[in-house]
Amino acid sequence: MSLTVVGSVAFDALETPFGKRDKVLGGAATHFGLSASFFTEVNAVGVVGGDFSEAEWDVFRRHQINTGDIEVVNGGKTFFWSGRYDYDMNTANSLDTQLNVFANFDPKLSENSKSAEFLFLANIQPTLQKGVREQCPNAKFVAMDTMNFWISSAKDEVIDTIRTVDCIIINDAEARQLTDEPSIYKAARAIMDLGLKAVVIKRGEYGATLFTKDAYFVAPAYPLESVFDPTGAGDTFAGGFMGYLSAQNDLSDETLRRAMVYGSVMASFNVEKFGTDRVDALDHHEINARFKEFKQMTHFDDIPFERSAAA
Ligand code: AMP
């Protein structure tokens, strides 16, 4: 099966308590695509400027990501985002957002991208997301992300788009903001009622929670001592989750649960270095070893306890 992702391809400037980088490859479609490429064939749809160099294209090439639908606007500049994290690495402080060529992004999908069975609408303007969804009427499973900016400025459009997809992958604060529900369990159910098959709520260092009609599943985050740069962790999670589903071509609760763990595994690698550096250098052996560790971390025996009369 193949998987199409539509979203930002960017240069990021990042500052965390562990260091600073002035210009690294970033963007939601980049982080998602790299992560998903370990599982399935990926088509990336986006736009970059003439300043996007061979070094950046090489990252996509190394992972056999199809970049035919990343439009190049010669003379234009690539989307630029600058963010800072303090010791609470769950919260990014946006310092600067320069949309550049991304301001006029009008995603046009080739037949190859349109025919993918799995589709991920990364965080872009909700009406554009809906337009892409409509270009892929035969997609079997469509997931989307969004962000606080769109929920506060274009909530009706966000809800309209949610109604056209199968799954949403958002963070806890966004789920609360979208539904005005303080409980994330109630929030998830309210979002499900918009017609979704699955809702995934990301909770940063506390892991991620999956809701389906019949199931509730929690994947922890991997207990890393040093989180260098959380940028792209959410997209990397979504890439592992969607990539695994696409590879399995199955949407049973059991497969969705394993997809949640693969999402957590991939996100845990992403945060170990700045930008895309760690996932770019990853191999399958490391992914599978960490997947096994997740099993050990969350396994327990189902032995009921009864206090004996003598105790
Ligand atoms: P995440 O940390 O998973 O939320 O994603 C971070 C990535 O999203 C960064 O690499 C940024 O380049 C990109 N990004 C930041 N702001 C926006 C925005 N307004 N629209 C699209 N992408 C963005």
Side-chain angles (χ1 to χ4, degrees):
M1 295 294 118
S2 67
L3 167 60
T4 293
V5 54
V6 183
S8 57
V9 178
F11 286 124
D12 291 343
L14 307 167
E15 207 180 317
T16 82
F18 303 99
K20 202 169 176 271
R21 293 289 184 280
D22 290 336
K23 190 181 178 188
V24 297
L25 174 62
T30 307
H31 285 290
F32 179 97
L34 271 185
S35 172
S37 72
F38 286 87
F39 301 89
T40 195
E41 193 187 313
V42 179
N43 310 305
V45 183
V47 62
V48 295
D51 54 351
F52 209 68
S53 75
E54 283 307 304
E56 284 82 53
W57 289 119
D58 276 346
V59 176
F60 288 87
R61 276 187 214 118
R62 268 199 289 284
H63 299 276
Q64 282 97 42
I65 297 171
N66 181 358
T67 55
D69 284 347
I70 300 185
E71 190 190 337
V72 182
V73 180
N74 287 313
K77 278 176 77 182
T78 300
F79 174 69
F80 174 79
W81 178 74
S82 162
R84 194 192 70 230
Y85 302 84
D86 297 319
Y87 278 97
D88 171 10
M89 302 271 262
N90 287 330
T91 313
N93 302 296
S94 280
L95 302 177
D96 191 9
T97 301
Q98 296 171 20
L99 292 175
N100 299 328
V101 295
F102 200 51
N104 299 315
F105 183 41
D106 178 18
K108 284 178 213 73
L109 277 64
S110 59
E111 285 311 313
N112 187 45
S113 293
K114 281 183 194 171
S115 63
E117 297 82 359
F118 289 75
L119 173 66
F120 184 67
L121 308 169
N123 165 37
I124 53 173
Q125 202 272 337
T127 309
L128 282 185
Q129 289 179 308
K130 193 172 169 211
V132 172
R133 201 275 168 260
E134 284 162 359
Q135 290 186 56
C136 306
N138 300 322
K140 170 174 169 174
F141 189 74
V142 184
M144 66 179 277
D145 185 12
T146 189
M147 71 185 290
N148 50 6
F149 175 76
W150 299 121
I151 300 171
S152 44
S153 62
K155 193 168 180 170
D156 290 348
E157 287 90 332
V158 171
I159 290 176
D160 222 33
T161 303
I162 294 174
R163 290 186 192 279
T164 70
V165 303
D166 304 292
C167 172
I168 190 165
I169 305 175
I170 51 175
N171 71 35
D172 46 1
E174 290 158 355
R176 290 191 176 100
Q177 188 190 357
L178 189 61
T179 57
D180 293 320
E181 280 288 356
S183 150
I184 69 146
Y185 308 100
K186 280 193 179 170
R189 293 292 164 210
I191 302 171
M192 283 283 277
D193 288 345
L194 296 171
L196 298 182
K197 295 192 181 83
V199 172
V200 177
I201 310 246
K202 295 170 289 179
R203 307 169 90 179
E205 65 185 310
Y206 307 110
T209 307
L210 166 75
F211 298 82
T212 64
K213 188 168 138 302
D214 301 315
Y216 167 78
F217 179 72
V218 183
Y222 188 73
L224 284 172
E225 292 197 6
S226 308
V227 172
F228 265 84
D229 169 24
T231 311
D235 300 303
T236 306
F237 173 94
F241 178 81
M242 289 294 284
Y244 181 72
L245 291 179
S246 159
Q248 297 298 302
N249 191 22
D250 176 54
L251 298 166
S252 64
D253 275 347
E254 285 309 305
T255 305
L256 283 164
R257 284 168 181 240
R258 280 197 300 278
M260 289 285 292
V261 176
Y262 275 114
S264 298
V265 165
M266 298 307 288
S268 75
F269 284 116
N270 173 72
V271 302
E272 285 180 353
K273 286 193 178 171
F274 276 99
T276 55
D277 287 359
R278 184 65 178 99
V279 176
D280 186 19
L282 203 54
D283 67 38
H284 280 282
H285 173 75
E286 292 175 294
I287 294 172
N288 287 326
R290 196 163 282 183
F291 183 75
K292 272 196 169 168
E293 277 189 72
F294 267 81
K295 163 101 195 205
Q296 278 154 8
M297 238 160 58
T298 51
H299 175 85
F300 58 90
D301 292 322
D302 175 18
I303 303 172
F305 172 78
E306 248 180 76
R307 187 175 164 186
S308 68

